[in-house]
Amino acid sequence: MAKERQIIEIPEFLTVRELATLISASPIEVMKQLISNGMMKTINDQIDYDTAAIVVEEMGYEAQPVIEVVEEALDDEKLPAWKRLYANEDPKNLERRPPVVTILGHVDHGKTSLLDVIRKTQVAEGEAGGITQAIGAYQVTHNGRKITFLDTPGHAAFAAMRARGAQGADVAVLVVAADDGVMATTKEAIAHARASNVPIVVALNKIDKRNANPEKVKQELSDVDLTPDEWGGTTMVIPVSAREKKGIDDLLEAILMTADEAQIYANPKGRTAGTVLEAELDKSRGAIVTLLVQNGTLRLGDVVLAGVAEGRIRAMFDENGKSIKEASPSTPVQVMGMSGMPTAGDLFTTYKNEREAREILDERKQAHALATVKGPRNLSMEDLLKQFEAGVVKELRLILKADVQGSLEPIVNSLSDLKVEGLGTKILHAETGNITENDVNLAISSQAIVIGFKVEADNAARRLAESNGVEIRTYSVIYQLIDDVEKALKGLLEPVYEDKVIGIAQVLKTFKVPKYGKIAGCSVRDGEARRNAKARVKRGSVYILENATVGSIRRETEDVREVRAGFECGIGLDGFEDFRPGDLIEFTVRERVN
Ligand code: GDP
């Protein structure tokens, strides 16, 4: 009988050296096999699965692709976020898990109060009172079923997490104060929840207040497509009072019903994976990391890899600081033993041993370094359009901010009507007010661009947008805005750049400076001469040099970055020495004009 062949698991791509290691052969042997199959490869060349499989089979083994259960599913944007973690699990292994709930809403509408009240009234009998909650999440039991609450209210945290591709929550509780109604932040929160496919339950808080007006708030909710079920809609709107501890049971019931509809499952025996909720560095104990288990079961001693941190779990605690040995899906835990600090929102998975985890960590660090060199993910209109054309995204997603409601409406209407060959726009969020970090976070996580009409982006928003390559476009004329979006849809929107003159210097005399070559002694006539600008040289009415790099600008003997009009300086241009007195050196910067 033929001997059964050893199975070798091969990734989609690997180097010749890695393949040799996998089959315990020398790289030379592998290279010889490749040559005999007509392929010249060096030891560090990458080969694909099919090529590697030929070598593996010829060397007497059986090839099989590596099945990367979790990571593969995580990338599947089409799946609702909470299903990605167990997408590749066999349905027969799936079990219902407690829903993970995040609380969102406008400031002062009662998020913190509600979280407090839920924790105090619902924790298991006997434990209440003496509890010191150690971590930013807790579990309550309602009618024998558990619910996990993320204790970081505010959608900024939620948005930041989403922006990193993570998904902690299965259900969003939107807190709306009955005396105040739907506010700007409420709408942002709705946009975030919707963009991540998280169902919303509304907690209509502060109904104890004399000026509470639930009917008015329900109307406002209907206006933003959260029509209460009692009005024939699909949104559960639960009147509560955090102050008087009223309606809490109803709210928990509504959360469970919503969760049941959303079919929140996990395989407790599957590959362990989840999300990092928090990480802090303790001087004596090292990294203390809060994890939310979302699939599989996390155990003491497991090797965990989260973002660019890795380690074996030395100690594990539940939300009350009690030491535990294992944690099932939807359980928040605090763990110690990780080297390095993961970031909130990183996904974590477990590995068989530290060696395996470290290898992947090294790859990640390299990829991370590479990505940093390459710069941030670009989300300019043109780039999105490329994805759009390639069918990666089906609509051009926009986040719209305008100065007043009166300008928002016509813009939204015109944009919604725009259709170019069946492709259209999707406005994820439209609101009055300046462009904030929240808008940018929503753009990052939803692959959208931010459009402002007669508004500005605040500094924090600009910084975040710049570091993440999110495009913010602002307009002051409606038809230009619409025109640009239409052009984008048509694929016509090529960026137009113009060189803008920011300063002019006149050459007075020339001289030679050791190391610097020939330098023009100039007087700055207009604007400023700037070291990091480009320069062109005009003699009479003719440009004799264009687009030159400024080599040096010196005042007296010092190198300077810029010199303003009215001052004299020495200017050197790279690769050009033919200055003559009277020449004008124009300093230009490239600016985008559309
Ligand atoms: P957050 O900013 O959304 O976290 O709101 P807080 O929980 O801090 O609550 C803001 C204010 O509203 C506090 O002064 C609370 O005491 C008050 N508050 C919260 N819930 C209720 C409620 O149900 N009824 C009344 N009357 N006041 C409430």
Side-chain angles (χ1 to χ4, degrees), residues 105-114 153 175 205-209 240-244:
H106 193 67
V107 66
D108 274 350
H109 279 197
K111 297 179 292 294
T112 317
S113 310
L114 211 51
V175 182
N205 192 30
K206 306 198 188 184
I207 45 153
D208 58 286
K209 287 186 93 167
V240 297
S241 163
R243 174 154 300 172
E244 298 188 346

Side-chain angles (χ1 to χ4, degrees), residues 201-363:
V201 173
V202 175
L204 190 54
N205 192 30
K206 306 198 188 184
I207 45 153
D208 58 286
K209 287 186 93 167
R210 263 195 312 130
N211 57 343
N213 191 347
E215 296 310 301
K216 178 171 158 271
V217 180
K218 283 177 197 165
Q219 182 56 53
E220 290 172 2
L221 287 167
S222 305
D223 292 343
V224 290
D225 272 343
L226 287 177
T227 312
D229 47 8
E230 61 188 290
W231 287 15
T234 54
T235 307
M236 285 199 251
V237 178
I238 315 296
V240 297
S241 163
R243 174 154 300 172
E244 298 188 346
K245 303 189 176 52
K246 283 204 180 120
I248 307 299
D249 276 346
D250 294 343
L251 180 62
L252 298 178
E253 195 57 43
I255 290 170
L256 286 173
M257 280 167 71
T258 308
D260 287 344
E261 232 165 81
Q263 301 189 323
I264 295 159
Y265 294 118
N267 175 9
K269 298 194 185 74
R271 173 103 183 252
T272 309
T275 302
V276 175
L277 295 180
E278 293 171 338
E280 59 178 280
L281 198 59
D282 183 280
K283 276 203 199 89
S284 53
R285 295 182 295 168
I288 301 192
V289 181
T290 305
L291 302 174
L292 174 70
V293 182
Q294 288 171 296
N295 196 53
T297 300
L298 185 65
R299 296 192 170 82
L300 211 57
D302 277 353
V303 174
V304 172
L305 180 63
V308 285
E310 164 274 340
R312 189 180 290 280
I313 298 183
R314 284 189 285 110
M316 181 155 73
F317 306 97
D318 69 6
E319 69 214 51
N320 302 316
K322 211 169 77 192
S323 177
I324 52 170
K325 290 205 168 63
E326 56 178 45
S328 54
S330 295
T331 311
V333 289
Q334 207 169 48
V335 302
M336 291 191 325
M338 300 205 62
S339 66
M341 293 285 285
T343 312
D346 280 343
L347 293 157
F348 77 86
T349 42
T350 57
Y351 286 86
K352 282 193 213 85
N353 54 51
E354 286 204 69
R355 191 181 53 82
E356 201 185 338
R358 284 215 188 99
E359 273 169 19
I360 293 171
L361 184 64
D362 285 344
E363 279 169 24

Side-chain angles (χ1 to χ4, degrees), residues 484-504:
D484 263 10
V485 174
E486 188 172 5
K487 276 188 197 148
L489 283 177
K490 285 184 182 151
L492 290 176
L493 201 78
E494 291 296 323
V496 177
Y497 295 98
E498 247 173 33
D499 287 337
K500 184 177 150 211
V501 178
I502 54 156
I504 301 173

